[in-house]
Amino acid sequence: MSDSLSDLLGGTRGALDATVPPLAFAAGWLVSGHAIGWGAATALLAAAVVAAIRVSRGEKVAAVVGSLTAVAAGALVALYTGHAEDFFLIQLVSNAASALAWAVSILIRWPLLGVVVGVLLGQKTRWRRDPDLVRAYGRASWVWVLGQYTVRTAVFGLLWWSGNLVALTAARVVLSWPLVAVVLAASAVVLRKSLPADHPGLRQPRVPEPANS
């Protein structure tokens, strides 16, 4: 396959950046003697620094603002409930929702991996007229459902229930860029092996010719 799935989806750089605010939250919380306010302030400061770096690299402002908003929301939830582990509650809910959304998308033959890659390649929905691509994207999307979102939901859920912030933070790091790298590689392999040997690749959907009337 001529296209790198990792390159198309942005690789692991974004996932690596996403681990900095949670680490900062845990560090601020620990150093301050378990003060959630200090943890929240440290996380927001770290998120702001990461955002500035991402903007300087030319990344889209909307994506950067979205990341900042997610950190701020997590901090507000923890401050409101008074439980430090609730900083990760939004992450837990979003991963559970993502697992469900991706699974449903496969079942209705609109696999989200195909939707995302199709948009990035400027194909819109043209890829859906290629049965081989629809099938391949569906199989590769299951890697994301089971290998990423379901794993995260199970691990985050258990650790959140136990109230172990340090373990939650460690899991957030391990299940971020290392897991993303594994899922990207595995889904790329599944995608490649699911396409016929003579298929021209992701950029060239094989659209059946319309039948002559």
Side-chain angles (χ1 to χ4, degrees), residues 166-184:
V166 175
L168 255 174
T169 305
R172 178 69 179 86
V173 174
V174 173
L175 299 183
S176 183
W177 61 269
L179 182 61
V180 169
V182 171
V183 169
L184 278 169

Side-chain angles (χ1 to χ4, degrees), residues 111-203:
L112 281 176
L113 184 60
V115 174
V116 172
V117 174
V119 169
L120 294 175
L121 293 179
Q123 297 171 345
K124 297 183 179 179
T125 61
R126 188 166 177 264
W127 60 273
R128 285 205 74 247
R129 290 187 283 165
D130 183 337
D132 292 327
L133 273 179
V134 173
R135 180 172 57 254
Y137 279 133
R139 292 175 179 174
S141 291
W142 280 118
V143 177
W144 292 76
V145 174
L146 302 174
Q148 177 164 282
Y149 298 120
T150 300
V151 168
R152 283 179 177 174
T153 300
V155 174
F156 290 165
L158 288 172
L159 294 177
W160 172 79
W161 185 261
S162 70
N164 192 330
L165 180 69
V166 175
L168 255 174
T169 305
R172 178 69 179 86
V173 174
V174 173
L175 299 183
S176 183
W177 61 269
L179 182 61
V180 169
V182 171
V183 169
L184 278 169
S187 58
V189 171
V190 171
L191 191 57
R192 183 175 63 250
K193 289 185 176 297
S194 297
L195 289 174
D198 62 344
H199 196 280
L202 304 184
R203 293 185 183 274

